[in-house]
Each structure stands twice: as structure tokens, then as C-alpha cells.
Amino acid sequence: MDIPFEEGMPSPDAADMRPEPPNSLDLNGTHPRRIKLTAPNINLSLDQSEGSILSDDNLDSPDEIDINVDELDTPDEADSFEYTGHEDSTANKDSGQESESIPEYTAEEEREDNRLWRTVVIGEQEQRIDMKVIEPYRRVISHGGYYGDGLNAIIVFAACFLPDSSRADYHYVMENLFLYVISTLELMVAEDYMIVYLNGATPRRKMPGLGWMKKCYQMIDRRLRKNLKSFIIVHPSWFIRTILAVTRPFISSKFSSKIKYVNSLSELSGLIPMDCIHIPESIINIDLKLKEKP
């Protein structure tokens, strides 16, 4: 009985008409026979002698090259590779799920960064202050109110709040603290002002070095130098007296004349109003001990 072939199914005659598969494929499971080719002798010299790659025999013009395009073995449609793009899109999707997304920089984080860093202009140069590293030492400078008529500010500098010199990052802290003190001083001072330097209860390891104090003086704006009317040192030690004596040749005579030594808080209260001045507890204790001494 004849069985009709369905439409689209190849007939036996069509199978016989198929082209033979390439000989380079091992369809029978046997190893292909290797053919050993011998490379021709090529003269690699750069002259145009016989056999050289620059000789006239090897420099044929493109017009003399005869290529029969019909004899070239080109792949047919069955051998072509059809790219659908599904595999790459799936891989990209998987990799996107595995990779972590970059967190968004929120407004709260931006405000936090602004609190950690402050940009100031000192001596016509823009400076950045690391506010986080100086956070424990910001009490070193404070506003003590006003004296006399007008906005004559009282600036209080408490040396007992300075960092310990044994810190590994001591110089970095002092550099940022210096910028903070100078920038804060410029904000606090509107007209004339005085500085009250609380030296008591400050161990030697917390005392600022001579270089730091000299740098502070040099970086102070000319307006601040001119408007400084008095520099009062409370509970002066022999160390601070020595430093000022050594630096006297490097500072102006006008600034030296503004320095005053005060041995007690009661003596200080006779010079300036104490209502708005915050005196650390350690300073009060050292003042009481000094009063008890004969």
C-alpha cells in the first residue's frame, strides 16, 4: 500500500539529492587523516633579489590576481548561525539581580556631610575644616558677651579643652582646630574685642606649641589684630610666661603692650563683666586651691 508523504516531509529521492557533508567533520567516528605540509622557502631579505618577498615575482599587481568566486566554499543557510539575543538578555538580567545597586545619596546624608565638613575663607584662601575630628575640642573657644559701649566682644579661650599631644593624629587635629578658631573669631568679632586666655588647669601635654601660637598670630586678619584691645591671661604659668618672653622679638610692640596677667578669677571680675563668661569647673577648682595657699 502506498503511504502518501505529508507535506513538508522529504521524499527518498530528495534525500539522495542532499549534498554530501564536509569531509572535515568526523561523522564515522574515525580520526581524520593528518596531512603534513611543507612550508616553502621564503627569503625575508629586504632587497629585490630572486626569491625575496620584495622581488618582482612576488609583487604582482591586484589586476593579475584571478579569483573565481564561484569556486569559493561559502556556508549555506543551514550552516548559518541565527542570533536571537535571548541568551544575552537573560544573562544580563541574572547579572543585574546579583549585582548590588548603588545607594542613593539622600538629602539627609548631604546635610550630615555639611555638618562634618565646613568650608571657610581665611587669608583669601578657601579651607575645609574636619568638624568631626575637632568635635570634642570645640569648647576651646566661646563667646563671653560684651564690654563697654557697642559690640565689643569678649572671646574666651580655654586651654584645658585642647587635645592631648600624645594623640597619634595630634598635628592633624591642631591644624583643623586652628582653622576653626580663626574662622570662629572672625564671625564673633564685629568691632573691638578682647581675648581672655584661661591657662589654669592645663597640663603641659595640652599646652599648644610655640609654632602653633606663632601661626595663629600670623594668620589673624589685619582687622582682627588692629581691633584687639586686650589679651588677658588668667592663672599664667612659668611655661606660658617663657613662651611669651621668647616670642616677644617676633611680635609687634603694640601687641606686647596688650598682654595682661591675671592671677585669680576675682581679679578678672574687676576688669570685665563675668555674667556671660563660662568658666570650666576645673578652672574654678584651681582658682580655689591657689587662694588657699599662703
Side-chain angles (χ1 to χ4, degrees):
M1 182 177 68
D2 296 335
I3 300 176
F5 290 94
E6 295 181 4
E7 184 179 358
M9 292 185 63
S11 62
D13 295 337
D16 296 338
M17 297 176 62
R18 291 179 179 175
E20 295 182 0
N23 294 330
S24 60
L25 296 178
D26 186 11
L27 300 179
N28 297 325
T30 60
H31 298 286
R33 188 177 65 177
R34 297 180 179 178
I35 301 175
K36 184 177 181 181
L37 300 177
T38 303
N41 295 328
I42 300 177
N43 186 0
L44 299 180
S45 61
L46 298 180
D47 56 4
Q48 294 187 1
S49 59
E50 184 179 357
S52 172
I53 58 174
L54 298 180
S55 63
D56 295 336
D57 297 336
N58 293 324
L59 294 177
D60 296 332
S61 60
D63 297 337
E64 297 178 358
I65 300 176
D66 187 12
I67 300 176
N68 190 353
V69 180
D70 296 334
E71 294 181 358
L72 293 177
D73 187 12
T74 58
D76 55 12
E77 295 181 359
D79 296 332
S80 65
F81 175 75
E82 182 178 358
Y83 174 76
T84 59
H86 295 297
E87 182 178 356
D88 288 347
S89 62
T90 306
N92 292 334
K93 183 178 180 181
D94 294 340
S95 62
Q97 293 176 352
E98 294 177 0
S99 61
E100 297 181 358
S101 59
I102 300 176
E104 182 181 356
Y105 188 65
T106 63
E108 179 64 25
E109 291 174 340
E110 183 177 0
R111 287 193 295 269
E112 182 66 20
D113 286 347
N114 292 334
R115 287 194 294 266
L116 297 179
W117 291 91
R118 177 184 296 179
T119 302
V120 297
V121 178
I122 299 177
E124 299 181 355
Q125 291 184 356
E126 188 175 278
Q127 307 282 352
R128 295 195 70 193
I129 304 175
D130 188 344
M131 300 300 294
K132 183 177 181 180
V133 76
I134 67 170
E135 180 64 31
Y137 314 109
R138 292 177 61 180
R139 293 181 296 172
V140 72
I141 187 172
S142 61
H143 199 294
Y146 301 94
Y147 70 96
D149 298 331
L151 299 176
N152 302 320
I154 301 175
I155 308 300
V156 180
F157 190 94
C160 59
F161 292 133
L162 287 171
D164 198 312
S165 59
S166 61
R167 284 187 56 135
D169 57 347
Y170 175 75
H171 295 288
Y172 176 77
V173 175
M174 290 296 287
E175 180 71 20
N176 284 271
L177 189 60
F178 160 76
L179 296 175
Y180 174 75
V181 169
I182 298 300
S183 60
T184 304
L185 192 61
E186 292 181 350
L187 293 175
M188 290 181 176
V189 173
E191 298 179 0
D192 294 342
Y193 71 104
M194 68 168 56
I195 295 179
V196 177
Y197 185 90
L198 301 177
N199 184 71
T202 304
R204 175 70 181 275
R205 65 181 184 275
K206 286 190 175 183
M207 290 292 297
L210 179 61
W212 190 84
M213 297 182 68
K214 182 180 179 182
K215 185 177 181 181
C216 282
Y217 177 77
Q218 292 174 343
M219 290 294 292
I220 291 178
D221 186 77
R222 184 179 180 275
R223 176 184 68 88
L224 295 177
R225 294 185 190 179
K226 181 180 179 181
N227 293 349
L228 177 63
K229 299 305 178 182
S230 181
F231 190 91
I232 302 175
I233 301 177
V234 184
H235 302 132
S237 62
W238 66 268
F239 180 74
I240 195 69
R241 288 177 183 268
T242 302
I243 287 181
L244 291 176
V246 171
T247 58
R248 191 175 295 271
F250 304 101
I251 58 180
S252 64
S253 58
K254 291 183 178 180
F255 181 80
S256 299
S257 63
K258 299 175 183 179
I259 299 175
K260 298 179 181 180
Y261 295 108
V262 173
N263 296 317
S264 65
L265 294 178
S266 59
E267 186 179 352
L268 178 65
S269 62
L271 298 176
I272 59 174
M274 301 284 290
D275 300 339
C276 300
I277 296 179
H278 172 70
I279 305 297
E281 186 177 354
S282 59
I283 301 293
I284 297 176
N285 294 334
I286 199 69
D287 186 71
L288 294 174
K289 291 181 180 180
L290 292 174
K291 285 182 178 180
E292 295 175 356
K293 290 183 178 181

